[in-house]
Structures are given as C-alpha cells and as structure tokens.
Amino acid sequence: MFATESKLNSAQQRAFASLMDGISLGEIATLRGDPGMGKSVITTVVVEKTGAALVAASNFMQQLSSGHPVAVEEAFLAAVAAALSSHKIVVVDDLHLVKGISDHYGYPRGDIFDVALAALAARAHAGRHKLVFTHVGTAPDPLRQRAFHTEIKEFTEEDYRSICGAYLCNEILERLDFSKIHRFAPKLNGHQLKNACLWTRRNSATDTDVFVDHLASQNLTSNVEIAEVAPVSLSDLKGVDDVIQALETKIALPFENAALALELRLKPKRGVLLAGPPGTGKTTIGRALAHRLKSKFFLIDGTVIAGSGDFYEEVEKVFKIAKENAPSVIFIDDADVIFEEKRERGFYRYLLTMLDGLESASAERVCVMMTAMDASSLPEAMLRSGRVELWLETRLPDESARESIIRDRLSGLPDPIGTADAEVVAAASSGLTGADLKAVIEDGKLLFAHDYSKGETLRPPEEYFLDAIQTVRFNRRNYGKRKSSPWEQIRFGFKIE
C-alpha cells in the first residue's frame, strides 16, 4: 500500500479502490462526492499511484486568461489536451466548477460544453488514454453514458474519529463519544470536522456535549432565528394535554434521548397534522419546538410565497438541509392556506414525493409537521395512511383551561389589576381561543391604565377584562362578516411575537 493511502479514511479508501477498478476497466471514470468529502485527497493518491497528470482549476484559469472570456470550452479542451499529450491517464478535478459556468443562464453558448466532453471521450478512446473526472452532483450526460462511476459515501463514526485524530491529541480524542456525535450530526464533511477540531484544541476541557454544541452553532443551522422567537414551551398550552403527551412521546423523545432511540430504533413520526381553529395553539407548538429543537427545526411558512419563482428552490433547500441534520422537524405552518389555491398543484406533488421519500434510510429521521385550520382543504392523498401518521387536534379551551390561561397571564401584574377574579373572567369567555384570551388581558390592562392615569374611580379589576371580552367578541363578528380582498392572497409569515 502506498504511504499516501494512509491519508484516506475508510469511506475514502472504499471509493479509491472502486475508482481504481474503473480506471483499469475502461477509458473514463468519475468520482462523485459532496464538498469536503475528500475528492481531491483521493485524486492525489491516484496521481501518485498511476503517474497521471492532474488538471485542476488553476490549469483551466491559466488557459482561460489567455483566450476570449466566453471561450470556456476551448480553454477547458486546451488544458486537458495539453495533459493528454504527455500522459496516458489524466485526472480532471472539480469538473462541476467549469460546468457551472456553461450552465449559467447568462452564458451565451448553451450546451457546447457537453460537445467538448464528448470530443474528449472520443479522443481518449481513439488514443487509448484514460480520463478521470471528479464532480459534485450529477455527472454531465456524455460522462454518465460512458463512464464507470464511483461515489464517496457518508462518513461513519469511525471515519469521524479518523479525521479528528489528525487534529486532536489522544487525551481530547478519548473524551469524545463519536457514536453520540455521529448520531447527532451524521452528514458532516471533512472541512466541518476539521474546523470543529481546531476550535476544540483551544479548550482542553472540551467534552462531547461541548463539541456537539459547537457543531450545532456552526454547521447545523435552522432557518429560524431562535433569538427572535418569543420563549414558549409546550407546557404553556392549556386544555390539550393529549396533544402535548403525543408530541412529547412521538416527536420529542426520539430527538432528546439518543441512547434510548438507538437501543430501541426509535424514529419520530414521519408526517404529523396539527388541525384546529385559529388561535388554538398550532403556531405556539411550532415556536415551542423551535426553541426545544434549535438547530433541528426548519420552517416553511407564508414568507415563502407558493408558486413564486423562488418557492420550490427554497422548499427543496429546506428538505435537503433537514435531511443532512436529521433527526429534524420541518414545520409547514398554515398548509391549508398554501393548498387552498386550486391551481397550486406543483407544491402538492412535490410534497407528496418528499413525504414518500422520507421512508428511505437516509431520511427516515425527518418529521414533516403541518398545521391547518381546515383539514378538508388539504389534498386527500396527503392525508392517506402512511403519509400523515399522527393527526392531532387543537381545540378551544374549556372553562378550566381558560381559567388557567388567565391566571398565568395575570400572575406578576401589580395590584389591583393582578387580583382580578380569574374564575369570573373564564366563565364569561366561553368560545374564545387562547389567542383571544391574550388579547382580552392586554385590552383589559389598557382600559385599567386609562382610568388610573386619568384619576378616575377604579372599578373592580375583573370588569376591565369583562369589557375587553365584549370588544374581542365584537371584532370577531366583524371579522366573520368581512368581504374577501385581494390582500388576502398576501402571506406575511411565521408570527414570532
């Protein structure tokens, strides 16, 4: 075995062996891997072992600098041809970088790059040369049809240990539980692990939890700014104990008890529907989960307009990052509003595909949670058994729950307003939601503050809240009578207050 092969971890060694088989069998071979997975390290070993020429981005830029700025294909052909003139094997590193230029919508020469690749393939075949290409994503068509393909697979926990062993002393290395680190973030690349190790070296007291927290802050990024979301927990919800119990058992537990999840092979539910009237706590559940899961929580809401140019790109990006950060939750707020536009079928089909794809081993720890005011607005196929595995109903709070909500909101208020009879207010607020009760308390405080600031005779404190209840009911009646407006098509997104 060549000395440089010792640089490779087990995933890279397997890819190297497969690539060498491809080189020995045919004229063209490809090596696919995401950034940071070690493509360039593997090509270095290939070059040393075979005596191949290496064509890197620097060679391409050299050729391009002496030609026309849009002659990308000519510069690429010239760089590879120069290497082929003196070597039987040529390795072209990071093909996707060059292909990305010709694929850009502003590049005027369209698919000419595929012609260049086909010409190179024909030259290799005629001259008994061998070409090796490394790339990210799907190989271009001329290579996909002709080449032997190799892919660098995801790193195992032993690969994590091997990579970190190059940067950490044995004392720190032995303190880290790589099984736990890999369960928490199973799709890190070499760059991310290296940076985490360099950060870790500054603190000799680093343990697994500190290492994981650093990974979460740097590499596992929710698309929600947690600091901008008002602190809330599931326990703040009243009168829906069955919903909270189901969320704790079937969502939170597989995330938070990694050891038990591994031992019993626990997975969060794949599809969850939270259905209920407005103001009954659906979005509050989203906020609570965002705080609780932090980097494992991803949001799709009205800030991404269904059917707009960037919509599908943004949604696809959310699913991709959520899979990389699994276990994770994708929270689709007001899903029925997205689907109420009957012509919006693209997202419907895309989401069905994504939900079905979550059965795969690589994505089985992703949970898609949707909220809906009216479940009947959702496509029937979305609700069939197997796609939505858990259906939870958020309900209007009963009198006991309303009293509990009111007591919580009165607590901490000064006398006399804080001494209002919560039981009386709760009895008078039948049919109001938790959001309505929040408005009642806020409006009641304003009414009290007005009398207090004007030196008026103060009424019994609960009367201010009883007046506020009447205002909230009046506003709800007007809201129910409103006519539709073109402004209703505009969505303003995830409420964070």
Side-chain angles (χ1 to χ4, degrees), residues 414 416-417 441-456 458-459 461 464-465:
I417 191 67
I441 298 302
E442 295 303 313
D443 287 358
K445 288 191 300 182
L446 290 170
L447 294 172
F448 167 79
H450 177 271
D451 285 0
Y452 182 82
S453 65
K454 296 294 184 181
E456 302 282 351
L458 297 179
R459 297 181 285 162
Y464 293 102
F465 298 114

mmCIF file of all heavy atoms in Angstrom, residues 414 416-417 441-456 458-459 461 464-465:
data_model
loop_
_atom_site.group_PDB
_atom_site.id
_atom_site.type_symbol
_atom_site.label_atom_id
_atom_site.label_comp_id
_atom_site.label_asym_id
_atom_site.label_seq_id
_atom_site.Cartn_x
_atom_site.Cartn_y
_atom_site.Cartn_z
ATOM 1 N N PRO A 414 -49.249 43.942 38.964
ATOM 2 C CA PRO A 414 -49.390 44.583 40.280
ATOM 3 C C PRO A 414 -50.850 44.673 40.712
ATOM 4 O O PRO A 414 -51.765 44.556 39.885
ATOM 5 C CB PRO A 414 -48.795 45.977 40.039
ATOM 6 C CG PRO A 414 -49.014 46.238 38.575
ATOM 7 C CD PRO A 414 -48.863 44.907 37.904
ATOM 8 N N PRO A 416 -54.107 46.786 41.760
ATOM 9 C CA PRO A 416 -55.190 45.826 41.957
ATOM 10 C C PRO A 416 -55.502 44.990 40.708
ATOM 11 O O PRO A 416 -56.239 44.029 40.782
ATOM 12 C CB PRO A 416 -56.376 46.730 42.301
ATOM 13 C CG PRO A 416 -56.114 47.967 41.494
ATOM 14 C CD PRO A 416 -54.622 48.161 41.500
ATOM 15 N N ILE A 417 -54.939 45.365 39.559
ATOM 16 C CA ILE A 417 -55.338 44.684 38.326
ATOM 17 C C ILE A 417 -54.969 43.199 38.363
ATOM 18 O O ILE A 417 -55.670 42.356 37.803
ATOM 19 C CB ILE A 417 -54.699 45.390 37.094
ATOM 20 C CG1 ILE A 417 -55.326 44.863 35.797
ATOM 21 C CG2 ILE A 417 -53.194 45.190 37.078
ATOM 22 C CD1 ILE A 417 -56.753 45.230 35.617
ATOM 23 N N ILE A 441 -56.618 40.075 27.998
ATOM 24 C CA ILE A 441 -55.762 40.553 29.092
ATOM 25 C C ILE A 441 -55.085 41.858 28.694
ATOM 26 O O ILE A 441 -55.025 42.818 29.482
ATOM 27 C CB ILE A 441 -54.714 39.486 29.472
ATOM 28 C CG1 ILE A 441 -55.406 38.215 29.968
ATOM 29 C CG2 ILE A 441 -53.769 40.033 30.539
ATOM 30 C CD1 ILE A 441 -56.312 38.407 31.171
ATOM 31 N N GLU A 442 -54.553 41.922 27.453
ATOM 32 C CA GLU A 442 -53.863 43.138 27.021
ATOM 33 C C GLU A 442 -54.831 44.314 26.949
ATOM 34 O O GLU A 442 -54.498 45.423 27.394
ATOM 35 C CB GLU A 442 -53.199 42.901 25.657
ATOM 36 C CG GLU A 442 -52.073 41.869 25.679
ATOM 37 C CD GLU A 442 -50.991 42.237 26.672
ATOM 38 O OE1 GLU A 442 -50.558 43.420 26.682
ATOM 39 O OE2 GLU A 442 -50.584 41.361 27.463
ATOM 40 N N ASP A 443 -56.034 44.099 26.392
ATOM 41 C CA ASP A 443 -57.016 45.184 26.302
ATOM 42 C C ASP A 443 -57.507 45.607 27.687
ATOM 43 O O ASP A 443 -57.717 46.804 27.946
ATOM 44 C CB ASP A 443 -58.210 44.748 25.450
ATOM 45 C CG ASP A 443 -57.866 44.688 23.961
ATOM 46 O OD1 ASP A 443 -56.724 45.031 23.613
ATOM 47 O OD2 ASP A 443 -58.733 44.273 23.168
ATOM 48 N N GLY A 444 -57.715 44.620 28.561
ATOM 49 C CA GLY A 444 -58.154 44.940 29.925
ATOM 50 C C GLY A 444 -57.129 45.789 30.654
ATOM 51 O O GLY A 444 -57.489 46.739 31.384
ATOM 52 N N LYS A 445 -55.849 45.498 30.477
ATOM 53 C CA LYS A 445 -54.801 46.305 31.114
ATOM 54 C C LYS A 445 -54.828 47.740 30.589
ATOM 55 O O LYS A 445 -54.628 48.699 31.351
ATOM 56 C CB LYS A 445 -53.432 45.678 30.853
ATOM 57 C CG LYS A 445 -53.182 44.388 31.623
ATOM 58 C CD LYS A 445 -51.729 43.952 31.557
ATOM 59 C CE LYS A 445 -51.263 43.690 30.142
ATOM 60 N NZ LYS A 445 -49.845 43.224 30.106
ATOM 61 N N LEU A 446 -55.060 47.898 29.293
ATOM 62 C CA LEU A 446 -55.122 49.248 28.720
ATOM 63 C C LEU A 446 -56.304 50.038 29.284
ATOM 64 O O LEU A 446 -56.182 51.242 29.593
ATOM 65 C CB LEU A 446 -55.223 49.160 27.196
ATOM 66 C CG LEU A 446 -53.956 48.678 26.461
ATOM 67 C CD1 LEU A 446 -54.261 48.403 24.996
ATOM 68 C CD2 LEU A 446 -52.848 49.722 26.585
ATOM 69 N N LEU A 447 -57.466 49.379 29.395
ATOM 70 C CA LEU A 447 -58.638 50.060 29.967
ATOM 71 C C LEU A 447 -58.375 50.481 31.412
ATOM 72 O O LEU A 447 -58.730 51.600 31.833
ATOM 73 C CB LEU A 447 -59.860 49.138 29.901
ATOM 74 C CG LEU A 447 -60.372 48.799 28.490
ATOM 75 C CD1 LEU A 447 -61.459 47.725 28.577
ATOM 76 C CD2 LEU A 447 -60.898 50.045 27.794
ATOM 77 N N PHE A 448 -57.752 49.599 32.192
ATOM 78 C CA PHE A 448 -57.411 49.927 33.577
ATOM 79 C C PHE A 448 -56.417 51.092 33.611
ATOM 80 O O PHE A 448 -56.572 52.039 34.406
ATOM 81 C CB PHE A 448 -56.813 48.695 34.260
ATOM 82 C CG PHE A 448 -56.159 49.004 35.576
ATOM 83 C CD1 PHE A 448 -56.916 49.175 36.724
ATOM 84 C CD2 PHE A 448 -54.779 49.158 35.663
ATOM 85 C CE1 PHE A 448 -56.325 49.481 37.940
ATOM 86 C CE2 PHE A 448 -54.173 49.456 36.873
ATOM 87 C CZ PHE A 448 -54.938 49.624 38.016
ATOM 88 N N ALA A 449 -55.382 51.028 32.732
ATOM 89 C CA ALA A 449 -54.362 52.073 32.724
ATOM 90 C C ALA A 449 -54.959 53.432 32.383
ATOM 91 O O ALA A 449 -54.534 54.471 32.916
ATOM 92 C CB ALA A 449 -53.256 51.703 31.725
ATOM 93 N N HIS A 450 -55.959 53.445 31.488
ATOM 94 C CA HIS A 450 -56.608 54.709 31.136
ATOM 95 C C HIS A 450 -57.278 55.326 32.353
ATOM 96 O O HIS A 450 -57.075 56.516 32.656
ATOM 97 C CB HIS A 450 -57.650 54.475 30.030
ATOM 98 C CG HIS A 450 -58.423 55.701 29.665
ATOM 99 N ND1 HIS A 450 -59.605 56.051 30.309
ATOM 100 C CD2 HIS A 450 -58.176 56.682 28.749
ATOM 101 C CE1 HIS A 450 -60.059 57.184 29.803
ATOM 102 N NE2 HIS A 450 -59.217 57.588 28.840
ATOM 103 N N ASP A 451 -58.095 54.546 33.073
ATOM 104 C CA ASP A 451 -58.768 55.081 34.265
ATOM 105 C C ASP A 451 -57.761 55.524 35.313
ATOM 106 O O ASP A 451 -57.913 56.578 35.943
ATOM 107 C CB ASP A 451 -59.707 54.024 34.856
ATOM 108 C CG ASP A 451 -60.986 53.863 34.039
ATOM 109 O OD1 ASP A 451 -61.121 54.571 33.015
ATOM 110 O OD2 ASP A 451 -61.814 53.007 34.390
ATOM 111 N N TYR A 452 -56.727 54.728 35.491
ATOM 112 C CA TYR A 452 -55.718 55.029 36.523
ATOM 113 C C TYR A 452 -54.992 56.331 36.187
ATOM 114 O O TYR A 452 -54.781 57.195 37.063
ATOM 115 C CB TYR A 452 -54.741 53.862 36.613
ATOM 116 C CG TYR A 452 -53.680 54.032 37.671
ATOM 117 C CD1 TYR A 452 -53.944 53.734 39.004
ATOM 118 C CD2 TYR A 452 -52.407 54.507 37.333
ATOM 119 C CE1 TYR A 452 -52.968 53.901 39.983
ATOM 120 C CE2 TYR A 452 -51.434 54.674 38.299
ATOM 121 C CZ TYR A 452 -51.710 54.372 39.619
ATOM 122 O OH TYR A 452 -50.751 54.541 40.585
ATOM 123 N N SER A 453 -54.614 56.494 34.904
ATOM 124 C CA SER A 453 -53.847 57.681 34.521
ATOM 125 C C SER A 453 -54.689 58.952 34.551
ATOM 126 O O SER A 453 -54.169 60.056 34.743
ATOM 127 C CB SER A 453 -53.267 57.491 33.115
ATOM 128 O OG SER A 453 -54.301 57.402 32.152
ATOM 129 N N LYS A 454 -56.020 58.826 34.388
ATOM 130 C CA LYS A 454 -56.913 59.985 34.397
ATOM 131 C C LYS A 454 -57.452 60.299 35.791
ATOM 132 O O LYS A 454 -58.208 61.257 35.977
ATOM 133 C CB LYS A 454 -58.099 59.745 33.460
ATOM 134 C CG LYS A 454 -57.714 59.599 31.989
ATOM 135 C CD LYS A 454 -57.152 60.889 31.431
ATOM 136 C CE LYS A 454 -56.876 60.757 29.944
ATOM 137 N NZ LYS A 454 -56.297 62.023 29.394
ATOM 138 N N GLY A 455 -57.086 59.480 36.771
ATOM 139 C CA GLY A 455 -57.569 59.696 38.127
ATOM 140 C C GLY A 455 -59.016 59.311 38.312
ATOM 141 O O GLY A 455 -59.663 59.770 39.264
ATOM 142 N N GLU A 456 -59.546 58.476 37.413
ATOM 143 C CA GLU A 456 -60.935 58.028 37.520
ATOM 144 C C GLU A 456 -61.075 57.036 38.680
ATOM 145 O O GLU A 456 -60.111 56.413 39.118
ATOM 146 C CB GLU A 456 -61.372 57.331 36.223
ATOM 147 C CG GLU A 456 -61.246 58.173 34.970
ATOM 148 C CD GLU A 456 -62.377 59.174 34.845
ATOM 149 O OE1 GLU A 456 -63.343 59.101 35.641
ATOM 150 O OE2 GLU A 456 -62.277 60.051 33.974
ATOM 151 N N LEU A 458 -61.574 53.715 40.204
ATOM 152 C CA LEU A 458 -61.272 52.395 39.647
ATOM 153 C C LEU A 458 -62.400 51.416 39.934
ATOM 154 O O LEU A 458 -62.962 51.381 41.038
ATOM 155 C CB LEU A 458 -59.969 51.861 40.233
ATOM 156 C CG LEU A 458 -58.708 52.678 39.908
ATOM 157 C CD1 LEU A 458 -57.488 52.050 40.572
ATOM 158 C CD2 LEU A 458 -58.511 52.780 38.401
ATOM 159 N N ARG A 459 -62.742 50.638 38.923
ATOM 160 C CA ARG A 459 -63.758 49.607 39.056
ATOM 161 C C ARG A 459 -63.129 48.318 39.577
ATOM 162 O O ARG A 459 -61.898 48.184 39.608
ATOM 163 C CB ARG A 459 -64.415 49.354 37.703
ATOM 164 C CG ARG A 459 -65.173 50.548 37.124
ATOM 165 C CD ARG A 459 -65.799 50.188 35.793
ATOM 166 N NE ARG A 459 -64.818 50.131 34.708
ATOM 167 C CZ ARG A 459 -65.022 49.514 33.552
ATOM 168 N NH1 ARG A 459 -66.180 48.869 33.347
ATOM 169 N NH2 ARG A 459 -64.103 49.519 32.614
ATOM 170 N N PRO A 461 -61.382 44.997 39.337
ATOM 171 C CA PRO A 461 -60.449 44.725 38.225
ATOM 172 C C PRO A 461 -61.002 43.789 37.161
ATOM 173 O O PRO A 461 -60.719 43.962 35.974
ATOM 174 C CB PRO A 461 -59.236 44.118 38.939
ATOM 175 C CG PRO A 461 -59.730 43.687 40.284
ATOM 176 C CD PRO A 461 -60.819 44.625 40.652
ATOM 177 N N TYR A 464 -62.775 45.278 33.926
ATOM 178 C CA TYR A 464 -61.997 45.724 32.765
ATOM 179 C C TYR A 464 -61.830 44.575 31.764
ATOM 180 O O TYR A 464 -61.902 44.785 30.543
ATOM 181 C CB TYR A 464 -60.624 46.234 33.215
ATOM 182 C CG TYR A 464 -60.713 47.493 34.043
ATOM 183 C CD1 TYR A 464 -60.579 47.449 35.433
ATOM 184 C CD2 TYR A 464 -60.946 48.720 33.438
ATOM 185 C CE1 TYR A 464 -60.657 48.596 36.199
ATOM 186 C CE2 TYR A 464 -61.033 49.886 34.201
ATOM 187 C CZ TYR A 464 -60.902 49.820 35.578
ATOM 188 O OH TYR A 464 -60.998 50.960 36.335
ATOM 189 N N PHE A 465 -61.654 43.386 32.278
ATOM 190 C CA PHE A 465 -61.466 42.236 31.398
ATOM 191 C C PHE A 465 -62.796 41.778 30.805
ATOM 192 O O PHE A 465 -62.835 41.304 29.666
ATOM 193 C CB PHE A 465 -60.788 41.092 32.166
ATOM 194 C CG PHE A 465 -59.417 41.464 32.658
ATOM 195 C CD1 PHE A 465 -59.157 41.576 34.016
ATOM 196 C CD2 PHE A 465 -58.394 41.725 31.763
ATOM 197 C CE1 PHE A 465 -57.901 41.925 34.477
ATOM 198 C CE2 PHE A 465 -57.130 42.078 32.214
ATOM 199 C CZ PHE A 465 -56.883 42.190 33.576
#
